[in-house]
Amino acid sequence: MLKYAMRVRQQAAASPLLADFFDATDVLVPVPGCAPYIAGHVWAAEHLAAALVNEGLGRATWSGLRRVRAVRKSATAAPGARPSVSLHYDSFCIETPPIPPESIVLIDDVITKGRTLLAAASRVREAIPHAKIRAFALVRTMGMISGIQQLLDPCQGEIRWKSGDAYRNP
């Protein structure tokens, strides 16, 4: 993950989209994978969050968001079989941090529709209601497109609750 974090730092220095996204005071919160938390086991988003802090793209990591029940992996599930926002939400628990951070960036490795991040943000919002919460994903899926024009395509968008589900744009 170190090489990916270094590339994100380079993009943040060169891209107007990422230049103001990360702040040295942010606390990076890795979004748990689909399996429940196992003490001592580090998941992809946790590796990525630590590497991003190492590159100066945050103050610290905090792994207080935990998965307590397994859910199906969204990235490999058929569109109709992906876990809902409420299933993700119910599978998370959160510890209240000793000193609540003012600015949080949820870190995920892959974003498909955005349900996991929306559920994670909801759980974090409950525990730390006054924090500014944003999310960063290293890779975003593009759906069934006929061709990929470029591999590196940073974007800034949003995930919202719409018609009973997550809606990601872009």
Side-chain angles (χ1 to χ4, degrees), residues 59-84:
R59 176 173 52 89
T61 63
W62 177 64
S63 297
L65 179 65
R66 303 283 170 91
R67 181 84 69 179
V68 292
R69 281 185 297 288
V71 296
R72 189 173 193 155
K73 189 173 179 79
S74 297
T76 58
R82 293 179 182 149
S84 66

Side-chain angles (χ1 to χ4, degrees), residues 49-166:
L52 290 168
V53 167
N54 189 55
E55 289 295 321
L57 297 174
R59 176 173 52 89
T61 63
W62 177 64
S63 297
L65 179 65
R66 303 283 170 91
R67 181 84 69 179
V68 292
R69 281 185 297 288
V71 296
R72 189 173 193 155
K73 189 173 179 79
S74 297
T76 58
R82 293 179 182 149
S84 66
V85 174
S86 63
L87 188 61
H88 279 295
Y89 177 86
D90 290 341
S91 74
F92 288 137
C93 75
I94 191 162
E95 302 168 5
T96 303
I99 301 171
E102 293 180 22
S103 183
I104 293 171
V105 180
L106 297 171
I107 303 295
D108 209 350
D109 54 345
V110 177
I111 181 173
T112 51
K113 188 161 178 85
R115 292 174 177 150
T116 306
L117 284 170
L118 191 58
S122 296
R123 276 290 184 199
V124 170
R125 172 69 61 218
E126 285 178 348
I128 314 166
H130 301 297
K132 175 182 174 184
I133 301 172
R134 301 178 315 287
F136 172 82
L138 186 63
V139 175
R140 67 184 158 100
T141 61
M142 300 295 291
M144 301 303 286
I145 58 174
S146 60
I148 297 174
Q149 301 300 315
Q150 60 189 34
L151 292 178
L152 186 61
D153 187 19
C155 75
Q156 191 171 11
E158 61 184 17
I159 303 166
R160 295 208 174 270
W161 184 254
K162 183 177 177 183
S163 303
D165 199 1

